[in-house]
Amino acid sequence: MTIIDGKEVAAAARREISAEVRKMTDSGAPAPHLVAILVGSDGASQTYVGHKEKCCHEVGFRSTVMRLPQETTQAELLEKIAALNADVNVDGFIVQLPLPPHISEQKIIEAIDQRKDVDGFHPVNTGRMISGLPSYLPATPDGILSLLKYYQIDTAGKHCVVIGRSNIVGRPIANLLSQKGWDCTVTLCHSRTANLKEVVASGDIVIAALGRAEFVTADMVKEGAVVIDVGITRVPSDKTKSGWKLLGDVKFDEVAPKCSYITPVPGGVGPMTIISLMQNTLRAARGEVYGKR
Ligand code: NAP
């Protein structure tokens, strides 16, 4: 059994991105510039944006975080987005989700210029991804693909079971792994799936992205399976300074011995999600997907 080390893969990717940024700046081009908009004071969102900001500094990007109050109206946020769309000094930007309930996430996502949509959530990028055209891939699915590639995990002809059908994780990773080159046969499960246990147990590759702590147990996993745990749930803990710890969707200790490969939480998929965002921003700065602006 091999524990997939997302931190190691992310560190290697960071070195590659830094080297590319140095080449750009040495040739007189500006460093890529990523902007993150954070509305409100949700603890987890602040942590995620903080990690993204830190990673930007590590790879040599320019980074700006716009912190807006919880009461920001949808119209005000749309104005900020229009300004970022028009700003030639910004290569890509993200709006950290979730947004306060009075703001429509869909309206906000659709307002982002697809050429700057480095989260890969805009319907144009989704459509292009499904059609196999160049696009910004959503960060978490792209990070999973990078892990599979780094560990040279054979996917062709394998049965991949994805649990969770969200637009940001489950649905896109199911689509990508069914595409030519990855060649999986994919089953996409959700809360209405019948006989979920049996379906998951038939997977050569299991991707758990449902957000239910330790949901996947040893009896649900086939011997030798590859298990990718996307879930992140904060649970109270008296053993940590913060008072909480992170759990994945997989009961790691009992599932790991049955697996050929498994990702831990934390330190598996999480670090790769940020790397994919950096890679998308680098591609935006180079005009690789939609051409130079
Ligand atoms: P989401 O939008 O809440 O979607 C959850 C999906 O899981 C839904 O499709 C839901 O089915 C399905 N589901 C829920 N309970 C189920 C059950 N008992 N059996 C089968 N399916 C069930 O979640 P998300 O945004 O995709 O995130 C999923 C998890 O990944 C969360 O823990 C999140 O924090 C984590 N995450 C991690 C990263 C990372 O970087 N590591 C990035 C993004 C998300 P229905 O559609 O039928 O409701």
Side-chain angles (χ1 to χ4, degrees):
M1 184 270 296
T2 300
I3 297 178
I4 293 178
D5 187 345
K7 285 189 191 160
E8 180 195 310
V9 187
R14 268 198 305 275
R15 285 193 293 274
E16 267 175 39
I17 298 168
S18 304
E20 291 304 314
V21 173
R22 230 172 356 248
K23 271 190 225 159
M24 284 173 88
T25 51
D26 285 352
S27 72
H33 185 194
L34 174 67
V35 176
I37 303 182
L38 178 59
V39 185
S41 54
D42 176 71
S45 293
Q46 293 201 31
T47 306
Y48 295 144
V49 168
H51 288 161
K52 289 167 188 174
E53 201 178 9
K54 181 166 169 262
C55 194
C56 278
H57 292 306
E58 283 168 357
V59 299
F61 285 3
R62 290 173 292 156
S63 159
T64 306
V65 178
M66 295 172 72
R67 292 186 168 80
L68 305 178
Q70 176 81 10
E71 319 75 71
T72 304
T73 65
Q74 181 167 298
E76 285 165 343
L77 185 53
L78 287 170
E79 255 176 50
K80 299 273 182 218
I81 290 173
L84 291 172
N85 283 342
D87 188 341
V88 290
N89 288 310
V90 173
D91 296 299
F93 66 97
I94 61 162
V95 179
Q96 184 66 44
L97 303 179
L99 288 168
H102 62 275
I103 299 178
S104 155
E105 289 187 355
Q106 200 49 41
K107 283 219 167 71
I108 295 305
I109 289 170
E110 287 182 31
I112 297 173
D113 184 334
Q114 75 246 23
R115 292 168 301 175
K116 296 191 178 188
D117 167 42
V118 286
D119 253 343
F121 294 161
H122 192 285
V124 169
N125 280 314
T126 309
R128 291 177 67 92
M129 174 194 77
I130 289 169
S131 308
L133 295 169
S135 67
Y136 298 117
L137 297 183
T140 304
D142 191 35
I144 295 171
L145 296 183
S146 297
L147 289 176
L148 295 172
K149 211 184 273 179
Y150 188 92
Y151 281 85
Q152 299 181 342
I153 293 171
D154 187 18
T155 54
K158 305 289 186 210
H159 181 207
C160 176
V161 177
V162 179
I163 320 172
R165 57 178 163 182
S166 74
N167 285 340
I168 63 167
V169 189
R171 198 176 294 280
I173 191 62
N175 181 274
L176 289 162
L177 283 172
S178 72
Q179 291 191 11
K180 273 199 194 306
W182 295 99
D183 300 314
C184 281
T185 304
V186 178
T187 303
L188 181 54
C189 303
H190 43 78
S191 65
R192 306 294 301 273
T193 297
N195 307 319
L196 183 70
K197 227 174 202 181
E198 289 75 13
V199 177
V200 175
S202 70
D204 304 306
I205 300 171
V206 175
I207 300 182
L210 68 159
R212 302 272 181 276
E214 300 190 322
F215 180 89
V216 177
T217 46
D219 56 327
M220 293 170 79
V221 175
K222 163 159 116 177
E223 203 67 52
V226 174
V227 173
I228 307 290
D229 189 354
V230 183
I232 302 176
T233 305
R234 276 185 185 203
V235 293
S237 166
D238 50 18
K239 293 200 179 71
T240 62
K241 219 165 58 183
S242 60
W244 49 264
K245 62 175 182 173
L246 298 180
L247 287 180
D249 285 347
V250 177
K251 207 162 192 174
F252 185 87
D253 289 346
E254 65 173 59
V255 173
K258 291 185 85 174
C259 298
S260 54
Y261 293 89
I262 185 165
T263 60
V265 175
V269 173
M272 292 309 295
T273 296
I274 295 181
I275 291 298
S276 301
L277 177 65
M278 300 296 130
Q279 287 165 336
N280 277 345
T281 306
L282 182 62
R283 295 172 78 206
R286 289 168 160 170
E288 276 176 17
V289 177
Y290 292 104
K292 278 271 181 206
R293 270 173 282 124

